[in-house]
Every structure is written in structure tokens, then in C-alpha cells.
Amino acid sequence: MPTTPSEEDILSLFRRLSNTSDQAALWQLHTHYFHRIYAYVLAIVGQKEAAEEITNDIFVDIWQGRHLLANVTRPEIYLFVCAKNKAVRHLKKKSMTFESLDELRDIECVLEKDPYELLISSEMLKYINDAIAALPPKCRMIFRLVKENNLKYREVAELLEISEKTVENQMTIALKKLSASILFKLV
Amino acid sequence: MSGLWPTNLRSVLSTIYLLNMPPKRLWELLSRKYNNELTPEEQEELEQLLREHRDVFELNETFSRLKDMPVQPLTTPADEERSRQAIAARLPPPPLARSPKKLLRWAAAACAVLIVAGIWFYHLKTTPSPLPGSQNEVATSTSKSKVLLPDGSTVILNRQSKLVYNKDFGVNKREISLTGEAYFDIAKNEAIPLTVVAGPIQIKVMGTAFNVRAYTGDSTIETSLIRGSIEVSSSDDPERSIRMRPNEKIIFGKNNTPSPISPGAKSAQGSKPAQIFVQMNRIQPNPIDSTINEIVWVQDKLVFSKEPFYSLAKKMERWYQVRIRFKDKISEQLSLTGSLEKESLTEALDALRQLTPFNYQIDSGVVTISKNNKPD
């Protein structure tokens, strides 16, 4: 997707931060990742205000620890791991724990038409979104993570501390349920 | 639209689907395909299964398009802006840079973020050098045209528009000048920045998609950003540029005589800068089908289904580049279904009248719709 920067793009932003303390690079990261990190954090903490605060903290942390970025090789995963650690620490402070995927909060996931992607009808898009809304929450969260962040199943598995097979299975369920309901809606 | 398939075909398909449930393996393979992890053998196996399950084949097509559809963010640009301000307040002031030019840019940028909600950036700007003598030109008259630029960017050029770009586009620099309207989908290349000049307006582009409407006859120049980020400035005040966020539209009002289209055109030295009226609007996708009025013209076909006339009219305004007014509430609410492709404006209106009676009048680019009082 054109909106998703490549790994090299993000690595070069990281280098600008670590080598030249370039604040503009931080704002570029913010543009690319604010909404994605926010969605991920929200899935863990389940509360909008807290999620926003934690997401802001992450960017401040990145700035303050920018010298550490020089050693990062997988920038996207680095950002999400930071996010996860912060979110889990927040839950601990509130004497809550985040043990497993089952505790992911329900997160909505709505697809929209890329303005350039005109091939899919609005009717079809509506069916797809209805079907996504009807997915089990766990399934929907994984679907959102994979789709929104263009992550590999292996990477999602790492972030959620579950097996890659589980992610693949959940995506299989998602695709199957999506297909079935779309097909029957049309029929 | 009553459905994608004719009814009898659909009922046949549903029966096939019930009798011939695709095996779990098919979904597994589709899921692995989604992750780009299929081995050549699995690819073969998937193709075989898809041949046996034609109905799923259709869905497979849909799913491959699904990959290109972005997920709607849970946050709004306003949330992002609030976050930027909260973060900026906790950062130290930017460090001193070596070059005074850079320093000014930085100071300006920081102020903008802190004070002016990050929308207005004051930059030292160098005016782009004029396009070299050798340049490429694409012009349209009565039909639209899709232009593929050497760097992989695509431009859809609306009717009666002209696009000029430098010969070594993408090698050394990327400079485009536009008269008329175009939708730009620009390939990202930070090393070679891209500028679009439309009359007095200059747009600095990162990788992005946006629409510029700058017909010489119009009293305004509109820039709508669909995604990514661009910086817009006017030759009347080249040092002030506006950084746009997705789903924003900037309208520049041209003052008096529009300056001739020449890239890098500047108001004469010493003369007072003309007051240019600037308005920033939000782009609102249509609630009904999430299309965006600003870029409806890009489509080859205008499709509508049980759509209220007032909403269709908005699209037709873009499609035919006219204004449509309603005399009464009743005609506004007429519900219309159909599609327009090559029809002229009057052909289209006459066709629509066949479906639902109404009257219309065209007077210097303004169509007035009124209810059908007495059929004669």
C-alpha cells in the first residue's frame, strides 16, 4: 500500500533520529504510526484516554532513547514491542494483567475504499465490513493487525506471544467466515 | 443494484455452495496466500481447488482486492494533532543546526507545531527553476487521460486540461505544471522532491495522492489531499506554505486576473502581494457509499443505486463540471438508480427523467431542477 512506508524508509527515519537528532523524523514516524500504535494499544488496555496517553508516551520515549535506535534492525516490530511493553506496564499499575490473546479488547475494524481502488463496489464493501464486524473479537483483532500493519503472521504471533500457527488459523477462520457471509449476503 | 449476479444464477450458486462445501484446506491455502507464503506446490494445489469451486474463485478475486483496501483508522486527524501537541510540549526545543537556513526552518517548524496547531509552516523557500526548454506535454480536450510518468507516478488528467513535465523527470528533478484538473498518485522518492505548479499555486509533494482543480476559467484553485502529505504555497506569498493533512481541501481564491500559467511565476518585484483568499475545508466522503466528491470525476462510470437526487447531483456537478440547483425539496428527494458513462449532460438528464419525471433548465453552466408539475 502506498501509505505504508517500507522498512528502509522507517530505518532511515530511525537513523536520522539516532545520528542527527532530527525531530522532523519523529513527526514523520508519528504520521505513519500514531493511528496504528493507538489501535494496538487500545486493544490491550481497552480505554481510549489511556491508549492515547500511552501512545504519546511511546513517541516521547523514542525521542529520549533515540541513541538506542541505531541498533534496531526491525523498526516496525521495535515500535510495536515498545507499545506492548508500555501497555502491559500500564495494566500492571492498575493491578490488571495481560496474560493472553483472549484478553484483547474488542476492536472494530472497518475497511475503506482506497480512492484509487475503484474496482470494488460499495455494496461489496458494506458486506465485507458487516462480515468483519461479525467476526469473533480475537479473530478481528488479528485481522486488523495483519491488515493495517501489513505484518507477517510470524510478526503478529511474536507481538501477541502466540504461535504462528494460531495466527494462521485465526486468519483462516476470518477469511472463511468473511467469504461465507459475503457469499450468502449476495445470494 | 439488486445484486451482483442475476437471481437464477445466484440461486444455482447457493445450491452448489451447499452441496459442494469447499474443504478447510482451501481456506488454509487462501490464508497462507494472504501472507504471501505459498510454496509453488501449494499455489498449484490452490489453483486446482479454486477450479473445483468456482464460487469461491469469485471471492478469491474479492480478497485479493481486499488487500488494497486500507483499514479505517480509529483516530481522526484532530486526535493526531492533539497527540502531536502533547508530545511537542514534552520535547526539548530543537537543537541548533549548522546552516542558518536550516535553523530558521527548524525554529519555524517548532513554532508551528507548538502554536499554530501544526497547520501553517513558515519556510524559507527557494523558487523552483523554470522548466527547461525540452519538456513533455499532455493535453486533453473532451475525454480524460491517464498519464504514466517516468518515475512510476500516475496522473489522471480531466477534460480540457494540460500537464507539462520536465524531460529528465525522475532523473534529476520532478516538476509538473498543470492547467485544469488532475488527480495525482505520486511515487515516493525523498531524494527527488516533486513540485506541481498550478497558476500561482505551488505544491511540494512527498509520496501521496491528491487532486488539483485549477481551470483558468474558475475563480478558485482547489487542492484536495487524499492521502500522504503535501505543502502548498502561493506565488503571492512564497515564504508561507501550508502543510496539508489527508482529507483536507484548500481553496485559493484567485484575485482579479489570474496570472498566466508558467511554472515558478512570481508576482512582479515590488508590487504589493495580491490578497489571496484561502479556505481550508474537510473532505467528507459520502455517507452512502464512501465516495469522495472531489475525485468522482476520476471514475470511468458514474454508478448510483437508489440514490437521492441531491446526493447524485453533487457527483454530477463534478462529473459534468456544472452546478446543479434544486427549486424544491420534492425533486431533491427523488430516488434514482442507474449509471452514466459517455452521455452528455442533456442526454443524462433526459435519461433520468424517463425514470423519474422532473423538469430541468440549463443556463450558463447552472442546471436548475424542479418538480414535474403538469405533464404536457
Side-chain angles (χ1 to χ4, degrees):
Chain A
M1 255 194 299
T3 35
T4 315
S6 71
E7 189 158 65
E8 289 97 87
D9 290 341
I10 301 304
L11 269 180
S12 86
L13 290 179
F14 271 33
R15 256 174 267 127
R16 275 165 62 192
L17 277 164
S18 60
N19 299 344
T20 60
S21 295
D22 184 350
Q23 257 187 33
L26 184 74
W27 299 122
Q28 283 186 34
L29 272 185
H30 188 275
T31 304
H32 291 310
Y33 285 99
F34 172 76
H35 61 281
R36 290 153 62 181
I37 292 181
Y38 172 87
Y40 176 59
V41 171
L42 183 63
I44 298 174
V45 302
Q47 212 219 351
K48 286 182 179 177
E49 294 75 21
E52 195 175 318
E53 229 168 85
I54 292 167
T55 310
N56 291 347
D57 287 348
I58 290 161
F59 285 96
V60 174
D61 280 4
I62 286 173
W63 174 256
Q64 284 168 352
R66 58 191 178 279
H67 58 281
L68 299 172
L69 302 178
N71 304 322
V72 173
T73 50
R74 291 161 66 206
E76 202 151 81
I77 295 298
Y78 178 86
L79 291 172
F80 282 104
V81 170
C82 286
K84 184 183 177 189
N85 292 342
K86 265 224 145 19
V88 170
R89 229 173 295 142
H90 168 88
L91 287 181
K92 275 208 186 111
K93 256 189 271 169
K94 306 211 134 183
S95 336
M96 289 152 80
T97 51
F98 175 76
E99 294 294 346
S100 73
L101 176 65
D102 294 318
E103 294 182 40
L104 283 175
R105 305 305 194 280
D106 198 354
I107 289 289
E108 67 168 17
C109 175
V110 177
L111 302 186
E112 51 191 15
K113 250 198 253 195
D114 185 317
Y116 204 68
E117 168 58 70
L118 306 161
L119 290 170
I120 196 139
S121 73
S122 305
E123 191 186 22
M124 180 59 96
L125 185 65
K126 189 184 172 303
Y127 290 146
I128 291 172
N129 278 327
D130 287 351
I132 293 172
L135 288 176
K138 186 202 285 190
C139 207
R140 182 168 46 244
M141 181 60 209
I142 289 182
F143 184 77
R144 185 177 179 118
L145 263 181
V146 170
K147 178 116 194 57
E148 183 173 34
N149 301 299
N150 237 337
L151 293 178
K152 291 269 168 219
Y153 294 169
R154 172 177 48 76
E155 296 165 331
V156 174
E158 230 173 292
L159 285 179
L160 299 175
E161 291 171 32
I162 52 179
S163 76
E164 193 178 335
K165 197 72 207 159
T166 310
V167 176
E168 197 182 305
N169 288 343
Q170 291 293 329
M171 282 300 284
T172 305
I173 294 172
L175 292 179
K176 188 175 171 181
K177 286 198 184 223
L178 282 183
S179 315
S181 54
I182 292 163
L183 191 67
F184 279 114
K185 276 271 171 51
L186 291 177
V187 162
Chain B
M1 238 187 294
S2 61
L4 292 187
W5 298 314
T7 328
N8 52 348
L9 177 60
R10 280 186 282 133
S11 64
V12 171
L13 278 175
S14 83
T15 319
I16 293 173
Y17 188 82
L18 289 175
L19 294 177
N20 187 14
M21 286 284 275
K24 186 162 177 274
R25 180 69 184 153
L26 177 63
W27 305 110
E28 274 173 20
L29 290 171
L30 279 176
S31 163
R32 293 177 61 78
K33 182 185 171 208
Y34 198 88
N35 200 25
N36 300 328
E37 271 185 359
L38 282 187
T39 62
E41 297 79 51
E42 286 174 328
Q43 179 70 37
E44 183 87 350
E45 189 186 349
L46 176 63
E47 277 163 22
Q48 179 57 39
L49 279 168
L50 285 175
R51 272 194 291 275
E52 289 163 21
H53 298 273
R54 297 296 302 184
D55 45 351
V56 181
F57 186 80
E58 299 267 342
L59 289 166
N60 181 40
E61 294 291 296
T62 305
F63 277 126
S64 35
R65 283 182 212 155
L66 193 87
K67 273 204 116 157
D68 296 328
M69 286 188 279
V71 174
Q72 213 171 70
L74 296 171
T75 53
T76 63
D79 293 330
E80 260 181 63
E81 192 47 52
R82 193 172 55 245
S83 159
R84 250 194 300 277
Q85 287 180 36
I87 295 166
R90 291 163 63 188
L91 298 184
L96 299 187
R98 301 275 175 276
S99 108
K101 199 166 163 182
K102 253 194 173 162
L103 173 65
L104 270 172
R105 285 175 73 109
W106 276 118
C111 285
V113 168
L114 290 169
I115 303 161
V116 208
I119 293 174
W120 297 81
F121 278 67
Y122 292 79
H123 275 211
L124 271 183
K125 241 197 169 68
T126 46
T127 31
S129 52
L131 294 176
S134 54
Q135 50 195 27
N136 293 310
E137 196 179 303
V138 185
T140 54
S141 54
T142 54
S143 63
K144 294 177 284 183
S145 173
K146 185 170 178 175
V147 185
L148 188 62
L149 297 174
D151 69 336
S153 302
T154 49
V155 179
I156 301 178
L157 201 57
N158 205 347
R159 301 172 177 88
Q160 309 198 353
S161 301
K162 192 172 98 177
L163 192 76
V164 179
Y165 58 95
N166 56 301
K167 259 242 148 82
D168 52 351
F169 188 91
V171 183
N172 291 315
K173 49 191 164 185
R174 298 193 287 173
E175 287 178 1
I176 298 175
S177 85
L178 167 77
T179 338
E181 181 164 30
Y183 176 79
F184 296 89
D185 196 340
I186 297 301
K188 200 169 175 179
N189 184 347
E190 278 180 13
I192 308 173
L194 186 143
T195 42
V196 177
V197 176
I201 306 304
Q202 188 192 320
I203 302 163
K204 216 176 103 187
V205 182
M206 294 45 125
T208 183
F210 60 102
N211 190 73
V212 179
R213 183 181 167 88
Y215 283 105
T216 332
D218 287 1
S219 60
T220 57
I221 297 181
E222 290 183 19
T223 307
S224 309
L225 180 59
I226 306 302
R227 61 160 196 269
S229 140
I230 54 180
E231 264 178 41
V232 184
S233 61
S234 153
S235 62
D236 291 315
D237 191 0
E239 301 209 349
R240 190 172 76 176
S241 65
I242 303 167
R243 175 76 164 269
M244 289 178 71
R245 318 258 328 132
N247 292 325
E248 280 173 357
K249 171 160 92 172
I250 290 187
I251 304 169
F252 283 87
K254 287 187 259 179
N255 209 22
N256 305 323
T257 45
S259 55
I261 305 301
S262 75
K266 277 177 75 179
S267 53
Q269 287 293 322
S271 70
K272 275 178 277 169
Q275 271 287 249
I276 279 207
F277 160 73
V278 182
Q279 195 188 340
M280 178 89 102
N281 285 348
R282 291 215 60 75
I283 297 171
Q284 299 283 6
N286 294 316
I288 301 162
D289 57 4
S290 72
T291 54
I292 295 171
N293 284 332
E294 278 72 10
I295 54 167
V296 158
W297 68 266
V298 169
Q299 300 179 35
D300 287 328
K301 215 174 178 179
L302 189 56
V303 181
F304 43 98
S305 154
K306 290 182 198 142
E307 186 151 348
F309 205 171
Y310 66 84
S311 138
L312 173 62
K314 284 254 156 29
K315 293 177 192 171
M316 289 177 66
E317 284 186 339
R318 289 283 164 186
W319 191 254
Y320 292 109
Q321 297 174 1
V322 291
R323 298 206 64 80
I324 300 182
R325 307 221 175 282
F326 290 93
K327 261 202 164 143
D328 50 83
K329 283 260 180 287
I330 296 169
S331 35
E332 256 181 50
Q333 297 296 339
L334 292 174
S335 166
L336 297 162
T337 299
S339 78
L340 299 172
E341 210 171 337
K342 299 225 176 338
E343 290 85 354
S344 69
L345 177 62
T346 45
E347 281 169 356
L349 288 166
D350 287 337
L352 292 176
R353 264 160 51 123
Q354 301 291 312
L355 302 169
T356 320
F358 59 85
N359 292 327
Y360 72 88
Q361 234 183 357
I362 305 178
D363 185 17
S364 56
V366 180
V367 182
T368 309
I369 312 272
S370 54
K371 64 174 181 247
N372 192 30
N373 283 330
K374 292 175 210 93
D376 31 59

